Amino acid sequence: MKYVDLDFNNKTILITGGAGFIGSNLGFYFQENYPGAKVIVFDKFRSEETFSNGNLKSFGHFKNLLGFNGIVISGDITNKEDLEKLEEYDIDYIFHEAAISDTTVADQKIMIDTNVNAFKDLCDLAVKKNASMIYASSGATYGDSKVFKVGYEKPNNVYGFSKLMMDNLAKEYYDKIRIVGLRYFNVYGPREYFKNKTASMVLQFGLQLLKGESAKLFVDSDKIKRDFIYVEDVIQANIKATATDKNGVYNVGTGIARSFQDIVDILKKELGIKREDVYIPNPYIKQYQFFTQADIEETKKYLNYNPRFSLEEGIKEYLPEIIRIYNEEVKK
């Protein structure tokens, strides 16, 4: 679906983190809708290197790009020599999705180096190329805030803090280029499987149920509510951000908070499963967001954004892919 009147054919589009979840979906969006566009994926790709929490340092995976016809460059955004590989291209648009997105990473230095300092280098590249910069911020900037609107940030982990610092840094470029930050809330959908433990609970619950297990929820999961957004609506926001005349930071969610219990109930209904759930203590209480609900009025106004998928519709759209993942990646 073409979300804007702009023609991206004959344009050069750089996607950092393009082998990851949202980045790869963006890559295929351009390939399918604008076959004349030159799409460059720049990604660190996964290795077996892990953080102290045991999670992988990079989630980029070649399988997310199977069928992709564009240019693939292996590189680390924190390495200036790697970034120099991009100098030869006349870049028109940068979609910056590369980041440490694991909210449980405690290493503050690497979080700031990767999410903030490298972002400045990419913004400078955008200025040099006169390219539009659309970058991933996060609903984690709000943390313990009761108001999910720009100006009410209260991050409760270093990840949320790093994304807020990105938003502050972006302001320095408002008078130089088009630069738009998108605060993603809880995104789910195809090509997230290789995020492993940090993949959405929609996928994790779905796989638990398909394996014949009970869904494992935190205690009081009917009271833990988040704004869950299907990845296609995130793509919509990214594309529409290229056409706005108003630089800024915008929330990308549905505007409706739903519970984790809702996810399980919808999955069980769609799969025809009747099975008791299991409830476990929440080990992340101190850095956990118990409620998120994006205020999307500014996003609607300035990006012409309107979410197309409710939680029920998104899960129904996603379910065939969850079943494929179970059969091809988990069951084997």
Side-chain angles (χ1 to χ4, degrees):
M1 182 175 182
K2 294 185 177 180
Y3 291 111
V4 294
D5 291 332
L6 293 172
D7 185 2
F8 293 98
N9 287 305
N10 300 315
K11 299 294 185 183
T12 300
I13 296 157
L14 168 65
I15 305 171
T16 69
F21 172 30
I22 295 169
S24 59
N25 277 286
L26 272 168
F28 280 103
Y29 173 85
F30 286 110
Q31 179 168 297
E32 291 162 10
N33 290 280
Y34 303 95
K38 180 185 285 187
V39 183
I40 304 166
V41 158
F42 184 90
D43 198 289
K44 188 176 179 179
F45 286 91
R46 70 190 289 169
S47 66
E48 296 309 306
E49 207 175 348
T50 60
F51 291 112
S52 59
N53 62 7
N55 291 343
L56 289 170
K57 286 190 173 182
S58 177
F59 297 124
H61 200 289
F62 79 90
K63 284 190 175 182
N64 285 334
L65 293 174
L66 290 176
F68 177 68
N69 299 325
I71 298 166
V72 176
I73 299 173
S74 174
D76 185 337
I77 57 171
T78 64
N79 186 316
K80 292 184 188 297
E81 288 185 4
D82 285 351
L83 290 180
E84 287 175 2
K85 298 175 185 178
L86 302 171
E87 291 288 346
E88 67 180 271
Y89 299 101
D90 294 324
I91 301 165
D92 298 293
Y93 297 92
I94 299 175
F95 292 87
H96 178 41
E97 306 298 324
I100 294 173
S101 57
D102 185 344
T103 62
T104 64
V105 169
D107 189 327
Q108 298 185 24
K109 183 182 185 303
I110 194 170
M111 187 73 79
I112 301 301
D113 282 346
T114 305
N115 290 3
V116 185
N117 298 348
F119 177 52
K120 185 179 189 308
D121 292 334
L122 286 160
C123 286
D124 289 338
L125 176 66
V127 172
K128 187 174 181 179
K129 301 291 184 178
N130 194 29
S132 295
M133 164 67 81
I134 315 299
Y135 70 92
S137 183
S138 173
T141 54
Y142 296 110
D144 294 326
S145 178
K146 305 301 181 189
V147 181
F148 297 90
K149 186 175 181 179
V150 175
Y152 292 87
E153 299 81 7
K154 195 178 177 183
N156 58 5
N157 55 44
V158 68
Y159 169 72
F161 172 80
S162 72
K163 289 295 183 176
L164 180 57
M165 293 305 101
M166 285 178 70
D167 294 336
N168 289 344
L169 177 61
K171 294 174 185 176
E172 296 182 16
Y173 294 85
Y174 281 5
D175 61 346
K176 299 175 183 176
I177 51 171
R178 176 186 283 111
I179 183 165
V180 178
L182 300 175
R183 286 183 178 169
Y184 304 153
F185 278 64
N186 284 75
V187 189
Y188 65 97
R191 300 189 179 94
E192 65 167 320
Y193 174 68
F194 296 105
K195 290 181 68 179
N196 296 3
K197 293 178 182 178
T198 66
S200 77
M201 292 312 301
V202 175
L203 177 59
Q204 294 190 52
F205 288 141
L207 293 178
Q208 287 171 15
L209 292 168
L210 288 169
K211 285 188 283 187
E213 301 172 357
S214 293
K216 298 178 182 64
L217 297 115
F218 290 145
V219 174
D220 293 329
S221 278
D222 58 328
K223 300 181 181 68
I224 302 173
K225 295 186 176 183
R226 299 275 182 86
D227 193 330
F228 299 100
I229 177 168
Y230 190 53
V231 69
E232 182 61 29
D233 279 329
V234 170
I235 301 306
Q236 176 199 162
N238 273 271
I239 302 308
K240 288 186 172 178
T242 62
T244 186
D245 292 325
K246 186 170 172 58
N247 287 341
V249 182
Y250 300 96
N251 289 333
V252 180
T254 64
I256 300 170
R258 300 292 298 273
S259 73
F260 285 99
Q261 188 68 58
D262 287 338
I263 293 174
V264 172
D265 292 345
I266 295 166
L267 283 165
K268 288 198 294 188
K269 180 181 177 182
E270 290 293 330
L271 290 166
I273 290 173
K274 294 182 179 179
R275 193 180 298 144
E276 292 296 313
D277 303 323
V278 173
Y279 297 91
I280 60 176
N282 184 344
Y284 304 112
I285 286 177
K286 289 184 179 179
Q287 53 182 358
Y288 202 74
Q289 285 179 291
F290 283 86
F291 181 85
T292 66
Q293 182 170 285
D295 182 327
I296 58 174
E297 291 309 307
E298 296 285 288
T299 323
K300 288 180 176 180
K301 181 178 179 181
Y302 293 110
L303 300 191
N304 192 31
Y305 163 82
N306 278 293
R308 296 170 54 213
F309 295 87
S310 66
L311 185 60
E312 284 82 0
E313 292 164 335
I315 289 176
K316 190 171 184 177
E317 183 87 1
Y318 188 17
L319 201 52
E321 174 65 5
I322 296 176
I323 294 169
R324 185 198 68 79
I325 289 167
Y326 172 69
N327 288 325
E328 295 183 14
E329 297 288 349
V330 178
K331 196 177 177 182
K332 68 179 183 181

